[in-house]
Amino acid sequence: MVLIDTSVLINYLKNKEDKYTNALNILIENNYPVGINNLIYQEILQGAKSEKEFNLLKEYLSQFHFYELKGKSSYENAALMNIKCRKKGLTVRSTVDLLIAQIAIENDIMLLADDSDYISLAKVIPELQLFEV
């Protein structure tokens, strides 16, 4: 199973070709289980330019599996992840990115992302498995 980050999904929906969207395309064509989470869902929907586009995106995204955080301890672990990163000199710019990484870790799934923060994060947090492209 693979969690698809917002960065990849946006480019995929815009028909932009790069190694990440090509990887997603191959996963989808081969019926490989891919999913998103509520944070990614909201980020994609808020980019809609109209209610019509919003509804089309909502319908399209409903086909994806939704991965969730496990509870309060998930947020604690995401905060601890940030502390570990800061100790190593890495500043993670987004709370949402920390939560997305935590979801991937808790659900023991790989993360497909076109975001250098995740590459740096995975160097500090070995439990974060990135999908190699």
Side-chain angles (χ1 to χ4, degrees):
M1 294 187 214
V2 178
L3 181 64
I4 309 304
D5 185 50
T6 309
S7 57
V8 175
L9 201 46
I10 286 171
N11 287 338
Y12 180 80
L13 292 169
K14 290 181 176 181
N15 292 316
K16 291 186 179 177
E17 284 196 39
D18 61 26
K19 63 183 180 178
Y20 301 99
T21 58
N22 289 339
L24 177 55
N25 204 29
I26 290 168
L27 291 170
I28 290 171
E29 285 176 357
N30 290 298
N31 294 317
Y32 196 85
V34 296
I36 60 175
N37 60 42
N38 290 333
L39 300 165
I40 295 165
Y41 182 68
Q42 191 265 331
E43 286 182 320
I44 297 294
L45 291 178
Q46 79 181 19
K49 293 175 179 54
S50 67
E51 285 187 40
K52 181 180 179 182
E53 185 177 15
F54 174 89
N55 289 325
L56 287 170
L57 286 168
K58 188 174 149 186
E59 183 179 336
Y60 176 75
L61 295 172
S62 69
Q63 72 179 316
F64 287 91
H65 180 80
F66 276 69
Y67 296 98
E68 303 292 336
L69 290 166
K70 308 281 185 201
K72 184 172 82 171
S73 65
S74 302
Y75 296 91
E76 295 165 356
N77 290 330
L80 284 171
M81 203 182 328
N82 192 49
I83 292 169
K84 290 178 185 176
C85 288
R86 284 196 328 250
K87 279 186 176 181
K88 297 286 185 178
L90 171 65
T91 301
V92 179
R93 297 173 286 159
S94 168
T95 299
V96 170
D97 286 353
L98 288 164
L99 293 171
I100 289 170
Q102 184 62 34
I103 288 169
I105 292 167
E106 285 184 8
N107 288 279
D108 195 27
I109 56 178
M110 292 179 283
L111 175 62
L112 176 59
D114 181 10
D115 184 331
S116 61
D117 281 348
Y118 290 118
I119 294 168
S120 299
L121 189 59
K123 290 177 183 173
V124 177
I125 310 296
E127 299 86 3
L128 178 60
Q129 304 168 49
L130 299 180
F131 187 86
E132 297 292 326
V133 292

